[in-house]
Amino acid sequence: MDRSAELYERSKKVTPGGVSSPVRAFKPNPLFIAEGHGCRLKDVDGREYVDLCMSYGPMITGYGCPIVEKAAMAQISKGTVYGAPSEPELDLIERIVKEVPSADMVRLSCSGTEATMHAIRVARGFTGRDDIIKMNGGFHGAHDAALVAAGSGSAGGVPSSKGVLADVAKHTFTAQYNDIQSMSDILDKQDIACVIMEPIMGNVGVVTPEKGYLDEVRKVTKEHDTILIFDEVITGFRASSGGAQLRYGVTPDMTTMGKIIGGGFAAGAFMGRKDILENVAPQGGIYAAGTFAGNPVSAAAGLAQIDLMCRNDNYGKLEKRTERLVSTIMDCMADSNVKGCVNSVASMFSVFFGIDRATTGTEAMAADREMYDRMFRYMLDHGVYLPPSALEVDFMSLAHRGEDIAVLEEGFKGFFESVKK
Ligand SMILES: *Cc1c(COP(=O)(O)O)cnc(C)c1O
């Protein structure tokens, strides 16, 4: 038995499913990771992998990036949490305000889940409305208003997890991404506090906005005095230095972030128009709080990571490297006659099997997950760690360079060769 299997045996006795977050589980056992350097993970059995999961998004400069590590270490030696304001959090907030079009004011939190939970409360408190809209297949963290699936007919949603109250879920309506009519229909019938959506979907794999779609979303939400929240927990400081909103030139009323802004430490943030954010306590009457919110280590590491990415055309370079890899994968797929498609934008991509296109949550969720699982296992055997579940995103980082990309290309070539028709 290898050491990961041993640790998993111990782990599943004391934590549900043996993991701290469900998406990490796979059969027969998840790998326990001992170290990460650059874009490479080493498991507890000493096997090394080129990582394309990258902790689901935060590690855009790679594991142990010297500049980020130095900033974190310097802060750690001065204390890790104070329960009082500190300069690192202010520096991070000011940087976000400078880079992100929708951010007049920012409130830091500890995770993306918290950020979206608070943002929805702020939208409800500000508008005095109860109902909200999310997208089919959209993910906004693990809290009650977001753990909702589409209901039948024109009613609100139903719980997508046991323990979520039906009374809560009925206030969350579901529209289809890239289908403006589905959103307008709900807005016309209900008083909606906010639309919360990923401007680029990233939790059904990557699904990108069709030309003009986000402009339409902006237009119809404005017409109904509905707050538009872009959940940029993945795309913030990923899709561009100003997120997807800068890339597509559409400015929402509020934005949520997480992942990259913590530089590999826990972090989240919600931000938006001044007249909205002014209503957050202690300035206003909408409550949001957290012991670790604005954590100085997360803030110092996050700012260092953001600052590095915003220099030397690093976003442009990373995107070009990603485009080359994606085009190799597409060629391999075409040569193999395996049905599928690859979606990509900036430094993120997803390989879908069994479908010709994925432009909505519904289409993406129809992809062949068994085939994905075959690819995951083949790649693992050939030194590449993909996200274990289908419908996740492959993330490139600044640390993915020549030799690492060669390992990735060899892996994908070999896989498609092995399934060639
Ligand atoms: C990861 C993610 C979240 C949740 O963030 P956590 O830090 O895991 O709580 C929310 N929204 C989106 C779009 C995400 O990808």
Side-chain angles (χ1 to χ4, degrees):
M1 201 188 234
D2 64 21
R3 182 140 176 81
S4 276
E6 256 171 47
L7 293 175
Y8 176 62
E9 285 306 312
R10 275 169 56 196
S11 186
K12 70 184 184 187
K13 288 186 190 127
V14 289
T15 190
V19 290
S20 295
S21 193
V23 77
R24 299 175 197 170
F26 63 87
K27 288 188 170 66
N29 60 270
L31 300 180
F32 280 68
I33 302 303
E35 290 177 40
H37 300 284
C39 68
R40 296 196 181 227
L41 290 178
K42 197 191 265 183
D43 71 13
V44 289
D45 292 291
R47 284 182 291 249
E48 206 175 84
Y49 306 88
V50 175
D51 188 9
L52 272 180
C53 183
M54 297 308 283
S55 197
Y56 298 90
M59 309 310 295
I60 195 168
T61 56
Y63 300 104
C65 169
I67 291 172
V68 178
E69 194 172 288
K70 193 170 159 230
M73 292 302 205
Q75 180 55 43
I76 285 171
S77 69
K78 292 188 253 176
T80 59
V81 62
Y82 307 127
S86 65
E87 252 180 82
E89 59 186 295
L90 176 57
D91 291 341
L92 174 63
I93 288 168
E94 285 180 340
R95 185 62 184 257
I96 293 172
V97 168
K98 175 169 172 254
E99 303 289 346
V100 181
S102 67
D104 300 335
M105 293 182 102
V106 179
R107 169 58 68 82
L108 296 177
S109 65
C110 309
S111 69
T113 293
E114 268 183 47
T116 61
M117 180 183 77
H118 288 141
I120 290 168
R121 183 181 309 129
V122 170
R124 285 174 162 157
F126 182 77
T127 58
R129 301 172 181 176
D130 293 342
D131 294 337
I132 68 170
I133 295 178
K134 75 184 270 285
M135 298 298 129
N136 184 29
F139 178 75
H140 307 291
H143 60 90
D144 289 13
L147 290 175
V148 176
S152 55
S154 62
V158 295
S160 66
S161 160
K162 285 188 183 174
V164 172
L165 300 181
D167 275 347
V168 171
K170 74 180 184 196
H171 292 293
T172 301
F173 289 73
T174 302
Q176 187 80 276
Y177 185 79
N178 272 332
D179 173 358
I180 194 66
Q181 195 60 46
S182 70
M183 187 182 291
S184 298
D185 286 349
I186 304 168
L187 288 168
D188 287 342
K189 276 194 219 103
Q190 306 290 129
D191 278 337
I192 299 291
C194 66
V195 168
I196 183 164
M197 64 183 293
E198 299 161 84
I200 298 165
M201 290 191 103
N203 285 281
V204 284
V206 176
V207 177
T208 55
E210 282 169 357
K211 202 167 184 334
Y213 170 65
L214 293 176
D215 299 280
E216 290 286 326
V217 168
R218 180 63 284 189
K219 186 162 157 271
V220 297
T221 47
K222 203 169 254 168
E223 282 166 6
H224 289 83
D225 292 322
T226 291
I227 291 180
L228 176 58
I229 306 173
F230 277 177
D231 182 356
E232 300 226 42
V233 171
I234 287 180
T235 52
F237 294 98
R238 167 75 62 180
S240 82
S241 58
Q245 57 196 270
L246 182 68
R247 189 180 181 100
Y248 295 106
V250 176
T251 305
D253 304 298
M254 294 183 73
T255 301
T256 53
M257 289 193 184
K259 298 192 170 119
I260 286 174
I261 64 164
F265 293 84
F270 60 96
M271 62 202 75
R273 274 166 35 197
K274 187 162 187 282
D275 63 312
I276 298 173
L277 269 281
E278 275 174 349
N279 295 284
V280 176
Q283 196 169 352
I286 303 169
Y287 199 67
T291 301
F292 289 95
N295 180 264
V297 180
S298 303
L303 180 59
Q305 172 153 270
I306 288 169
D307 187 60
L308 174 56
M309 284 309 297
C310 291
R311 275 191 258 148
N312 303 329
D313 189 32
N314 276 332
Y315 281 105
K317 286 179 200 161
L318 183 51
E319 181 156 345
K320 282 201 193 78
R321 266 185 249 162
T322 308
E323 275 169 3
R324 277 199 294 273
L325 176 63
V326 165
S327 106
T328 303
I329 298 169
M330 283 171 150
D331 289 346
C332 295
M333 185 182 259
D335 283 347
S336 72
N337 289 316
V338 167
K339 184 169 167 169
C341 59
V342 186
N343 283 358
S344 86
V345 60
S347 50
M348 28 196 301
F349 68 93
S350 295
V351 181
F352 298 92
F353 293 104
I355 54 176
D356 292 321
R357 56 172 220 168
T359 63
T360 67
T362 304
E363 283 174 1
M365 287 186 281
D368 179 350
R369 297 178 201 199
E370 241 165 74
M371 190 66 172
Y372 180 88
D373 195 56
R374 272 177 77 179
M375 179 170 75
F376 168 71
R377 282 164 203 286
Y378 180 96
M379 297 299 271
L380 207 57
D381 285 343
H382 293 79
V384 176
Y385 189 82
L386 299 178
S389 328
L391 306 186
E392 295 292 342
V393 174
D394 294 300
F395 290 105
M396 292 281 281
S397 78
L398 279 190
H400 289 83
R401 305 185 146 274
E403 234 177 88
D404 316 300
I405 295 176
V407 172
L408 297 175
E409 285 178 344
E410 280 310 301
F412 283 111
K413 275 181 192 155
F415 169 71
F416 282 103
E417 199 59 41
S418 78
V419 291
K420 194 167 183 153
K421 288 189 176 144

